[in-house]
Amino acid sequence: MGGKTIRVSEETWRRLRARKRGNESFEDVIVRELEDDDPLAGFGTWSDTEIDEAVREVKREMDEDFEAGP
């Protein structure tokens, strides 16, 4: 299979490198990151889990603090 060379900024390279898992190549990272091109994929994934309730509780507390003011 042939390949192509692409240019990326240092920042993009760092961000891709940070997403590497184990011995993954940059190609593997890019393919994995592009696997799901649906921006809403995973929406609601944590619903019906304990983390979902914890996030709602923190939001309620923050809302109350905001309403109370300084």
Side-chain angles (χ1 to χ4, degrees), residues 3 19 22 28-29 32 44 59:
R19 285 173 168 76
D28 295 335
V29 175
R32 181 169 40 80
K59 183 185 179 312

Side-chain angles (χ1 to χ4, degrees), residues 1-12:
M1 175 205 269
K4 296 285 184 184
T5 301
I6 61 172
R7 260 181 209 267
V8 296
S9 68
E10 283 287 322
E11 176 62 20
T12 299

Side-chain angles (χ1 to χ4, degrees), residues 22-70:
N23 293 327
E24 273 187 327
S25 66
F26 282 105
E27 165 86 8
D28 295 335
V29 175
I30 292 169
V31 168
R32 181 169 40 80
E33 293 291 323
L34 295 175
E35 270 181 353
D36 196 352
D37 58 357
D38 179 2
L40 297 178
F43 182 77
T45 300
W46 284 2
S47 61
D48 301 326
T49 65
E50 292 178 20
I51 191 76
D52 184 52
E53 181 54 37
V55 169
R56 276 185 269 168
E57 179 60 29
V58 169
K59 183 185 179 312
R60 276 192 291 271
E61 291 173 7
M62 291 176 70
D63 287 345
E64 289 170 6
D65 290 345
F66 182 74
E67 288 171 4

